[in-house]
Amino acid sequence: GFVESRLRKLVSDLLGKSLPLSKIQLWPKKLERCVADRTALLTHQQRRNSVTYFIGFVVDKLRMRGNQLNLEQQIQNFSA
């Protein structure tokens, strides 16, 4: 559906092209549960209605600058 389509676009366009990754893949099955940290500000209803997706990736160490991979900016751009 719509969410899966947007996640595929995130993986292929935004993350796959802007980060030093040699492989990136959206896990094809969703989990009908919330795995958000307990400190996240989610209501009981939000947690009950959550779906979780996983994205796997392999870092291209030759293209990597430093020792940390920061996805935060790309995720913020995606949700804007």
Side-chain angles (χ1 to χ4, degrees), residues 4-6 10 13 16 18 20 23 31 33 39 46 50 66 70:
E4 291 86 354
S5 172
R6 293 280 295 156
L10 169 69
D13 294 349
S18 63
K23 183 176 183 178
L31 299 175
R33 66 173 70 186
T39 61
Q46 287 172 321
S50 294
N70 188 346

Side-chain angles (χ1 to χ4, degrees), residues 3-18 24 26 55 71 74-79:
V3 172
E4 291 86 354
S5 172
R6 293 280 295 156
L7 285 172
R8 282 192 299 275
K9 187 163 183 62
L10 169 69
V11 167
S12 67
D13 294 349
L14 203 56
L15 298 179
K17 294 180 181 174
S18 63
I24 184 165
L26 178 64
I55 298 173
L71 305 173
Q74 285 79 6
I75 299 297
Q76 286 178 357
N77 291 342
F78 174 72
S79 63

Side-chain angles (χ1 to χ4, degrees), residues 32-54:
E32 300 287 342
R33 66 173 70 186
C34 178
V35 294
D37 190 316
R38 291 287 172 207
T39 61
L41 300 176
L42 297 174
T43 66
H44 175 70
Q45 190 69 13
Q46 287 172 321
R47 287 185 183 278
R48 218 175 98 214
N49 292 323
S50 294
V51 176
T52 300
Y53 291 87
F54 290 98

